[in-house]
Amino acid sequence: MKFSIIIPTFNEESEIFSTLTALTNLEYQNKEIIVVDDSTDNTSKIIEKHFDESVILINPKQRKGRCEARNIGISRATGDILIILNADVLLPKDFISRIKVH
């Protein structure tokens, strides 16, 4: 079962590194992490500098707010289960294992 983790961001440069580090360190392997960045700060640059293709970064051409960013992430997701997070959420390593449906 594949999980898609979607994070809409707007000027989250102070939190995004910690959040994505926690997500890339999740014990569950069959996942994708999608960040839809509407920022005017360095959020995208931090993602590009510190994370590889395991984090999918989408920069919409027009900023239309958090709801539209979520919808963009949902339309790009390929997982069986979608998880939508705020950019300041730090999940424990076993989060997906705890919620995984068998």
Side-chain angles (χ1 to χ4, degrees), residues 26-53:
L26 289 173
E27 294 170 347
Y28 194 81
Q29 297 302 310
N30 195 11
K31 65 183 181 296
E32 65 183 352
I33 301 165
I34 302 170
V35 178
V36 183
D37 185 36
D38 266 350
S39 297
T40 58
D41 68 357
N42 291 314
T43 300
S44 285
K45 290 177 184 171
I46 292 167
I47 296 167
E48 291 168 349
K49 181 178 179 182
H50 295 286
F51 298 94
D52 60 17
E53 65 277 351

Side-chain angles (χ1 to χ4, degrees), residues 49-77:
K49 181 178 179 182
H50 295 286
F51 298 94
D52 60 17
E53 65 277 351
S54 66
V55 176
I56 301 163
L57 175 60
I58 300 170
N59 294 102
K61 291 183 176 38
Q62 293 182 320
R63 292 194 317 263
K64 294 186 178 180
R66 188 169 302 274
C67 292
E68 182 62 21
R70 283 184 194 123
N71 290 338
I72 291 168
I74 289 168
S75 69
R76 171 62 172 78

Side-chain angles (χ1 to χ4, degrees), residues 13-27:
E13 66 184 3
S14 63
E15 288 94 12
I16 197 63
F17 181 82
S18 297
T19 299
L20 292 178
T21 298
L23 293 175
T24 57
N25 288 330
L26 289 173
E27 294 170 347

